[in-house]
Amino acid sequence: MNAVRSLAASRPILPESQSRTDAVSGLVAPVCGDTIRIASRAMACEFGVILNPGSPEHLTAAGDLLNLVHDIELWLSAYQDNSELSVLNRQASEKPMHVRRSLFELLVMSKEIHSRTNGAFDITAGPLIKLWRAARAQKKIPTTDDVRLAMQSVGSQHLSLHEESCSVQFEVAGMALDPGAIGKGYALDEVAKWLNQTEEAPANYLLHGGHSSLIGRGHHNGLDGWPVGIGNPLFTEKRLATVLLRDEAMSTSGSNIQFYRYEGQRYGHILDPRTGWPVEGMLSVTVVAGSAALADAVSTAFFVLGVEKAVQCCENLNGVGVILMPFPVKGRKIEPVVVGIPADQIFWDPDQVVAPEYL
């Protein structure tokens, strides 16, 4: 079974199985071969594992790992009333709440990313996300006062974590955690960890959560990694680049799909947690990192920061690389800015992009 067309063309995809030469590097772009794909719906999206053909004994392990994603969703979901996270959101403003170690460690990571991205990523943005979701459903935008009120309950500096008791407390009323910008990546990291520790599991695989969060391990089609396509944010049926994932994770953030218009103004779904308002600074951001959770969170943060500040931030994050795609000048091709990713790992379509700037 070939999985080439099983992932949405507007986000990271397996590239077509026909080669072409990258005019920028002069190298032949890698392509995918036949694959076997197993998928299940969780966390409001599709999770899947893509395998090389010829190893049917790996299918059982692949099915088990998708069950693991469902198990994580049971405690991490912000939309299931009885999940551990939802209980935490209801009660942690009143008293310290003991949580499982996995959730505690995720919150520790989230606070660290918040600090290192100057607040551009914030897992406490739940009140803002709820406010804008309601406004979108009512086909309006929040008032400035609405946003200001929600902002009083946002800020990871008000998230108190107690290591010895593995407990969490909110220091301001109304705070609510929303793991939407890190949860899928975290689940993929846990799945990859489980696969690496399971004897009968495959060594070569591509995992995806939704179609914007991925982990590639091992080899595919004679390559030293997995080729993953990046869709053109302006023309979603086109693929403008292929990235070869070499035992690493990748995440793409953008607002070309999830947005709405109000009185002629376009509002994307990615919010700046420091201001409470949507951001539209770039077309898209693709981050490559050792951890899918880190790639997820940082891609969102870099989209919020904009090109210049994202470049500065990326240069201070070890093991993180990024492809930044600013809006092109009218009538011109996209001009990507690449930080921390080797040029021989990215293969561009010269018809859609000019020679990227590598920093």
Side-chain angles (χ1 to χ4, degrees):
M1 178 173 59
N2 196 299
V4 173
R5 300 187 183 277
S6 62
L7 303 184
S10 59
R11 298 171 181 176
I13 53 175
L14 289 174
E16 299 292 346
S17 54
Q18 58 186 44
S19 63
R20 60 175 174 79
T21 300
D22 178 353
V24 176
S25 66
L27 301 175
V28 177
V31 298
C32 74
D34 289 340
T35 58
I36 298 172
R37 180 173 178 273
I38 301 174
S40 178
R41 190 162 183 81
M43 297 186 180
C45 67
E46 186 177 75
F47 275 77
V49 55
I50 300 172
L51 306 172
N52 293 322
S55 301
E57 68 276 10
H58 292 157
L59 296 181
T60 299
D64 290 342
L65 67 86
L66 293 177
N67 290 332
L68 176 59
V69 175
H70 289 286
D71 291 341
I72 293 172
E73 183 179 24
L74 289 177
W75 58 264
L76 187 57
S77 173
Y79 303 102
Q80 297 183 19
D81 287 342
N82 60 346
S83 74
E84 188 169 354
L85 187 76
S86 292
V87 173
L88 183 68
N89 281 342
R90 289 196 296 270
Q91 300 182 16
S93 294
E94 303 170 1
K95 59 182 179 180
M97 296 289 295
H98 176 78
V99 298
R100 69 182 65 209
R101 176 57 60 175
S102 297
L103 177 53
F104 187 86
E105 291 176 352
L106 177 59
L107 296 181
V108 170
M109 175 191 291
S110 297
K111 280 200 71 168
E112 175 67 16
I113 297 172
H114 172 267
S115 174
R116 301 194 67 176
T117 60
N118 299 315
F121 167 80
D122 200 328
I123 198 171
T124 74
L128 287 172
I129 294 170
K130 181 179 179 181
L131 174 67
W132 279 92
R133 183 179 291 113
R136 181 172 182 172
Q138 298 169 22
K139 298 182 179 180
K140 65 177 187 178
I141 64 168
T143 67
T144 301
D145 287 342
D146 291 337
V147 172
R148 186 182 300 115
L149 181 61
M151 284 293 294
Q152 294 178 7
S153 300
V154 174
S156 287
Q157 66 273 20
H158 304 304
L159 177 62
S160 183
L161 305 177
H162 307 283
E163 174 70 31
E164 291 186 3
S165 59
C166 197
S167 62
V168 180
Q169 187 167 17
F170 301 160
E171 296 176 353
V172 293
M175 180 177 283
L177 307 177
D178 190 304
I182 196 172
K184 292 195 300 294
Y186 171 80
L188 291 179
D189 284 338
E190 291 300 296
V191 165
K193 185 188 304 181
W194 181 86
L195 282 171
N196 294 340
Q197 297 172 350
T198 302
E199 187 173 341
E200 66 274 17
N204 307 298
Y205 55 82
L206 181 70
L207 306 174
H208 73 87
H211 300 303
S212 59
S213 303
L214 305 101
I215 293 179
R217 293 282 188 269
H219 309 286
H220 172 68
N221 201 30
L223 303 166
D224 63 340
W226 283 83
V228 179
I230 299 178
N232 187 322
L234 294 175
F235 304 99
T236 56
E237 75 283 0
K238 295 183 178 181
R239 173 173 50 90
L240 57 76
T242 297
V243 176
L244 189 62
L245 284 185
R246 297 167 173 154
D247 294 327
E248 55 201 345
M250 186 175 96
S251 177
T252 295
S253 291
S255 62
N256 61 309
I257 293 180
Q258 296 188 53
F259 67 90
Y260 72 109
R261 294 186 182 277
Y262 177 76
E263 295 184 348
Q265 178 82 21
R266 185 182 187 275
Y267 295 90
H269 76 290
I270 298 178
L271 304 176
D272 186 339
R274 303 165 302 177
T275 67
W277 292 88
V279 289
E280 292 289 340
M282 281 184 280
L283 283 173
S284 72
V285 175
T286 294
V287 167
V288 174
S291 156
L294 178 62
D296 263 8
V298 170
S299 68
T300 301
F302 285 177
F303 191 89
V304 169
L305 288 171
V307 174
E308 183 177 347
K309 291 182 179 178
V311 168
Q312 295 172 358
C313 187
C314 186
E315 290 174 343
N316 293 321
L317 291 172
N318 292 331
V320 173
V322 64
I323 303 170
L324 303 165
M325 295 190 190
F327 285 94
V329 177
K330 188 174 182 179
R332 298 186 61 185
K333 300 176 183 178
I334 295 174
E335 301 183 38
V337 176
V338 183
V339 183
I341 303 177
D344 66 356
Q345 196 174 347
I346 312 174
F347 304 82
W348 301 97
D349 181 350
D351 293 334
Q352 300 179 69
V353 301
V354 299
E357 181 181 2
Y358 285 86
L359 301 178

Short mmCIF file of all heavy atoms in Angstrom, two decimals, residues 4 30 60 62 77 87 145 153 159 189 206 218 258 287 298 302 323 331 335:
data_model
loop_
_atom_site.label_atom_id
_atom_site.label_comp_id
_atom_site.label_asym_id
_atom_site.label_seq_id
_atom_site.Cartn_x
_atom_site.Cartn_y
_atom_site.Cartn_z
N VAL A 4 1.62 7.74 -0.20
CA VAL A 4 2.03 9.05 -0.70
C VAL A 4 0.93 10.08 -0.55
O VAL A 4 1.15 11.19 -0.12
CB VAL A 4 2.46 8.94 -2.18
CG1 VAL A 4 2.71 10.32 -2.75
CG2 VAL A 4 3.73 8.10 -2.28
N PRO A 30 15.24 13.55 -2.56
CA PRO A 30 14.84 12.20 -2.19
C PRO A 30 13.34 12.01 -2.39
O PRO A 30 12.57 12.96 -2.30
CB PRO A 30 15.20 12.12 -0.70
CG PRO A 30 15.13 13.54 -0.23
CD PRO A 30 15.58 14.38 -1.40
N THR A 60 1.66 -5.43 14.66
CA THR A 60 1.07 -5.52 16.00
C THR A 60 1.62 -4.43 16.90
O THR A 60 0.86 -3.76 17.61
CB THR A 60 1.37 -6.90 16.62
OG1 THR A 60 0.79 -7.91 15.80
CG2 THR A 60 0.79 -6.99 18.02
N ALA A 62 2.83 -1.61 15.93
CA ALA A 62 2.31 -0.33 15.44
C ALA A 62 0.90 -0.08 15.96
O ALA A 62 0.55 1.05 16.34
CB ALA A 62 2.32 -0.32 13.91
N SER A 77 -6.21 15.57 27.79
CA SER A 77 -7.20 16.36 27.05
C SER A 77 -7.76 17.50 27.90
O SER A 77 -8.10 17.32 29.07
CB SER A 77 -8.36 15.47 26.59
OG SER A 77 -9.39 16.25 26.03
N VAL A 87 -9.51 18.39 35.45
CA VAL A 87 -9.67 18.50 36.91
C VAL A 87 -8.67 19.52 37.46
O VAL A 87 -9.02 20.35 38.32
CB VAL A 87 -9.47 17.13 37.58
CG1 VAL A 87 -9.47 17.26 39.10
CG2 VAL A 87 -10.56 16.15 37.14
N ASP A 145 -11.70 44.87 25.92
CA ASP A 145 -11.93 44.56 27.35
C ASP A 145 -12.00 43.06 27.58
O ASP A 145 -11.51 42.56 28.61
CB ASP A 145 -13.21 45.23 27.84
CG ASP A 145 -13.07 46.74 27.99
OD1 ASP A 145 -11.91 47.21 28.06
OD2 ASP A 145 -14.10 47.43 28.03
N SER A 153 -5.61 36.07 33.47
CA SER A 153 -5.49 34.68 33.91
C SER A 153 -4.45 33.91 33.10
O SER A 153 -4.43 32.68 33.13
CB SER A 153 -6.85 33.98 33.82
OG SER A 153 -7.82 34.61 34.62
N LEU A 159 2.32 29.90 37.08
CA LEU A 159 2.14 28.45 37.19
C LEU A 159 3.19 27.93 38.17
O LEU A 159 4.40 27.92 37.86
CB LEU A 159 2.30 27.80 35.81
CG LEU A 159 2.21 26.28 35.73
CD1 LEU A 159 0.86 25.78 36.18
CD2 LEU A 159 2.51 25.82 34.29
N ASP A 189 6.48 11.80 21.03
CA ASP A 189 7.71 11.49 21.76
C ASP A 189 7.54 10.24 22.62
O ASP A 189 8.43 9.38 22.68
CB ASP A 189 8.11 12.66 22.65
CG ASP A 189 8.72 13.82 21.89
OD1 ASP A 189 9.21 13.60 20.77
OD2 ASP A 189 8.69 14.95 22.41
N LEU A 206 7.98 6.36 10.35
CA LEU A 206 7.61 7.77 10.36
C LEU A 206 6.30 7.89 11.11
O LEU A 206 5.31 7.25 10.75
CB LEU A 206 7.45 8.31 8.94
CG LEU A 206 7.09 9.79 8.82
CD1 LEU A 206 8.27 10.67 9.23
CD2 LEU A 206 6.67 10.14 7.38
N GLY A 218 15.29 6.04 11.51
CA GLY A 218 15.83 5.00 10.65
C GLY A 218 15.86 5.39 9.19
O GLY A 218 16.03 6.56 8.84
N GLN A 258 -6.51 27.47 9.18
CA GLN A 258 -7.41 27.82 10.27
C GLN A 258 -7.44 29.35 10.47
O GLN A 258 -6.57 29.90 11.14
CB GLN A 258 -6.98 27.13 11.56
CG GLN A 258 -7.07 25.61 11.51
CD GLN A 258 -6.83 25.00 12.87
OE1 GLN A 258 -7.47 25.36 13.86
NE2 GLN A 258 -5.89 24.07 12.94
N VAL A 287 9.94 23.67 12.11
CA VAL A 287 11.03 23.46 13.06
C VAL A 287 11.46 22.00 13.04
O VAL A 287 10.62 21.10 13.00
CB VAL A 287 10.61 23.88 14.48
CG1 VAL A 287 11.62 23.36 15.52
CG2 VAL A 287 10.49 25.39 14.58
N VAL A 298 7.98 25.20 19.82
CA VAL A 298 8.86 26.23 19.28
C VAL A 298 8.37 26.73 17.93
O VAL A 298 8.52 27.92 17.61
CB VAL A 298 10.31 25.69 19.20
CG1 VAL A 298 11.20 26.65 18.42
CG2 VAL A 298 10.87 25.50 20.61
N PHE A 302 7.90 30.60 17.30
CA PHE A 302 8.60 31.33 16.23
C PHE A 302 7.61 32.03 15.31
O PHE A 302 7.91 33.12 14.79
CB PHE A 302 9.47 30.36 15.43
CG PHE A 302 10.73 29.93 16.14
CD1 PHE A 302 11.58 29.00 15.55
CD2 PHE A 302 11.07 30.43 17.37
CE1 PHE A 302 12.75 28.60 16.18
CE2 PHE A 302 12.23 30.04 18.03
CZ PHE A 302 13.07 29.12 17.42
N ILE A 323 12.89 26.60 9.40
CA ILE A 323 12.65 27.19 8.09
C ILE A 323 11.56 28.23 8.26
O ILE A 323 10.41 27.89 8.59
CB ILE A 323 12.21 26.13 7.07
CG1 ILE A 323 13.24 25.01 6.95
CG2 ILE A 323 11.97 26.79 5.70
CD1 ILE A 323 12.74 23.82 6.15
N GLY A 331 3.91 39.29 -6.25
CA GLY A 331 4.36 38.86 -7.56
C GLY A 331 5.69 38.13 -7.55
O GLY A 331 6.17 37.70 -8.60
N GLU A 335 10.75 33.60 -0.22
CA GLU A 335 12.17 33.68 0.11
C GLU A 335 12.39 33.14 1.53
O GLU A 335 12.36 33.89 2.49
CB GLU A 335 12.66 35.12 0.00
CG GLU A 335 12.48 35.73 -1.38
CD GLU A 335 13.03 37.14 -1.50
OE1 GLU A 335 14.09 37.40 -0.89
OE2 GLU A 335 12.39 37.98 -2.16
#
